Amino acid sequence: MPKSRIWYNQQQTVRPREIMPHILLVSDSGTSSGYGRIADEVGIRLHRRGYRITAASLGFDGLLPPLQDGQPLPYWVASLAGRPWVENVTAIVQAIQPDIVLVAQDAPYIEAIRNASIDWSRYRLIGITPVDGVPIYPRWVETLRACDAALTISAYGQAAYRAAGVNMRLCRPGVDPNKFFRKTDDERVQLRAKLGLDMTHFVVGTVAMNQGRKAISAMLTAFFRFAVDKPNARYLLDMEAVSPAGWDIPALCQQYGWDARKLIFRADAIRAGLTSLADRYNVMNAHMVISHREGYGLPLAEAMACGVASMALDYCSGPEIVGEGRGILIPAIDYAEAGTWGGAEDKFPDMAAVVKSLNWLYENHDERRALAARGMAWARAQTWDMAADAVQAAIDEVMRPRVAATAPEAPAVAPEPVQPVIVPGALMFGSAGNAQA
């Protein structure tokens, strides 16, 4: 007879399988977006710990089974892509009756679900969301305050929300050290050969979405200023060459007279056989993601875990990732403006500092490797288990009153058998409002 499933919470208390919390995870499960990776890494670990997980994915089209690193996700994922997603999430909640609705997305998505036609007296709501600038939009503050628990992905965001009166927890994304690591020099030579490069080439990289929040045009400008006298310089842009949310980069090269032959896009690298993101990190000498504001910057941590010296803006989460000698912080100029996303401040990099930093990395091989080694040690210590622990602690807290109400009491010992007394109409409501006689 198979052993029954049990649940160990943070205090290692054994709980029966029948009251294990059922979680509806609303995010981008089964996709390669930042939210998708957070949802999958945390969701898989919660599943392994015995939680019942059902997912609903905003970005998953449902045409093929949902995968994470080529492996099927171990729970059901409903497709919300191209559908009226709020109505669909509401229908799923009514159908499966979860204990917790866990939303890992931007604050407006959490707000939309919180305002949906869902009886929140029957369910718990947990939100995981970033902060990519201050001041925080007031409605988002109210939304996160209304959640049963709220987590954010950077210490910067945690401090910003707490300053606004929200009891915010930290759920910093991790890095899988078995996937993102520095490959041997021989392996790096082979990877570069696929791109027609050798070890004399100096490869700068950026792994990011081609979108307005990223300072794509500023990074391009800085690279081409740096590369003007360096025929061996290349720029690996791990992004779409053309994006309706960002720039037409080939057209920019024509407009500004930049040599587009120095650029390598994600599609170019994949066609050459570098299908793994870790492989693409490993061809880089330096990596920069300079954003007008940034919620966390997972590619920065991943590149650092692969032994690549990294650069970020000295704003938002930049200092907690590449600060303290782990990378290079680019100062912002003395100008900021309210951005279109929630009114938070957009800041702009000191272009001369970016060019100077690229030249320093180019000219100082030993110092660059020492910088990369410090960054790699820090990045590899950021684990997804720690992120899952933070979410589990939030689950434990919001479920504690409900678990206490439904936990079976020790049976009373009667001196002799007694007949049960049935009181008509008496009902006890268990987890998620399921009536039990």
Side-chain angles (χ1 to χ4, degrees):
M1 183 175 180
K3 294 181 179 179
S4 61
R5 299 289 296 278
I6 57 177
W7 170 34
Y8 292 87
N9 73 353
Q10 295 290 78
Q11 289 74 40
Q12 297 299 298
T13 303
V14 181
R15 299 241 172 96
R17 180 69 174 88
E18 57 267 21
I19 61 168
M20 194 64 170
H22 185 185
I23 300 166
L24 174 61
L25 175 56
V26 182
S27 188
D28 282 345
S29 297
T31 75
S32 60
S33 73
Y35 287 118
R37 289 153 78 185
I38 292 170
D40 291 347
E41 295 285 0
V42 171
I44 287 170
R45 282 163 175 78
L46 293 178
H47 172 80
R48 288 173 182 164
R49 298 176 188 187
Y51 290 87
R52 293 175 289 163
I53 306 292
T54 301
S57 176
L58 294 158
F60 175 57
D61 59 19
L63 295 177
L64 296 171
L67 304 175
Q68 197 255 358
D69 292 337
Q71 299 299 315
L73 289 173
Y75 41 79
W76 179 263
V77 178
S79 169
L80 301 177
R83 295 173 170 83
W85 69 272
V86 175
E87 292 85 346
N88 278 210
V89 168
T90 302
I92 293 169
V93 169
Q94 293 170 348
I96 70 173
Q97 301 281 295
D99 296 288
I100 294 170
V101 179
L102 171 59
V103 186
Q105 255 295 348
D106 289 329
Y109 292 86
I110 303 173
E111 180 183 26
I113 291 177
R114 182 66 180 79
N115 293 334
S117 299
I118 296 172
D119 180 0
W120 290 110
S121 68
R122 303 178 63 190
Y123 311 104
R124 304 293 187 262
L125 177 63
I126 298 177
I128 303 176
T129 195
V131 176
D132 53 9
V134 291
I136 304 173
Y137 190 50
R139 272 177 30 198
W140 300 350
V141 173
E142 294 304 315
T143 294
L144 273 296
R145 191 179 287 141
C147 291
D148 294 285
L151 303 94
T152 192
I153 60 177
S154 70
Y156 170 88
Q158 183 184 31
Y161 261 116
R162 285 186 170 182
V166 179
N167 182 22
M168 183 64 73
R169 301 166 181 260
L170 178 61
C171 177
R172 179 180 284 137
V175 173
D176 184 346
N178 297 313
K179 184 196 310 183
F180 296 103
F181 58 89
R182 191 187 190 284
K183 302 204 170 183
T184 66
D185 289 343
D186 287 343
E187 289 172 323
R188 287 187 164 201
V189 168
Q190 294 169 15
L191 291 171
R192 286 186 168 216
K194 293 182 179 181
L195 294 172
L197 306 177
D198 57 38
M199 298 306 287
T200 66
H201 287 90
F202 188 86
V203 182
V204 180
T206 295
V207 176
M209 297 290 289
N210 182 352
Q211 59 180 211
R213 185 169 58 81
K214 311 294 183 182
I216 302 294
S217 63
M219 289 187 284
L220 282 163
T221 300
F223 170 78
F224 281 109
R225 288 181 185 174
F226 155 77
V228 67
D229 58 350
K230 300 176 183 67
N232 64 331
R234 297 291 184 273
Y235 194 6
L236 199 169
L237 291 158
D238 202 277
M239 62 184 67
E240 307 88 347
V242 180
S243 169
W247 288 265
D248 182 334
I249 297 174
L252 278 181
C253 290
Q254 285 185 296
Q255 289 172 263
Y256 288 89
W258 296 332
D259 185 357
R261 294 171 298 178
K262 289 182 175 290
L263 303 183
I264 305 167
F265 290 99
R266 177 197 297 141
D268 301 324
I270 291 174
R271 278 194 298 269
L274 276 69
T275 56
S276 160
L277 178 56
D279 284 348
R280 301 195 290 276
Y281 283 128
N282 269 277
V283 303
M284 299 175 190
N285 299 102
H287 177 250
M288 60 178 175
V289 180
I290 298 173
S291 306
H292 298 298
R293 47 198 158 74
E294 188 65 71
Y296 179 67
L298 184 54
L300 288 168
E302 291 171 343
M304 292 161 66
C306 292
V308 184
S310 294
M311 301 164 49
L313 190 67
D314 189 4
Y315 177 48
C316 295
S317 58
E320 69 188 86
I321 301 175
V322 303
E324 299 181 355
R326 296 187 293 265
I328 295 177
L329 283 170
I330 300 299
I333 62 173
D334 188 19
Y335 170 78
E337 64 183 23
T340 58
W341 179 252
E345 281 191 338
D346 280 352
K347 294 195 175 183
F348 300 82
D350 181 329
M351 297 295 292
V354 181
V355 177
K356 182 179 179 181
S357 296
L358 288 174
N359 275 307
W360 184 86
L361 291 169
Y362 180 84
E363 295 165 359
N364 296 278
H365 177 271
D366 292 342
E367 289 87 345
R368 185 181 75 240
R369 292 199 70 158
L371 183 72
R374 292 193 295 272
M376 182 166 60
W378 178 86
R380 290 175 64 81
Q382 311 308 308
T383 70
W384 286 111
D385 284 338
M386 292 165 60
D389 289 346
V391 177
Q392 181 173 338
I395 293 169
D396 285 356
E397 181 172 310
V398 303
M399 287 300 298
R400 192 168 292 127
R402 183 170 294 179
V403 169
T406 59
E409 297 180 358
V413 179
E416 59 185 31
V418 296
Q419 296 297 319
V421 178
I422 301 175
V423 180
L427 295 176
M428 178 178 69
F429 285 90
S431 180
N434 295 317
Q436 299 174 347

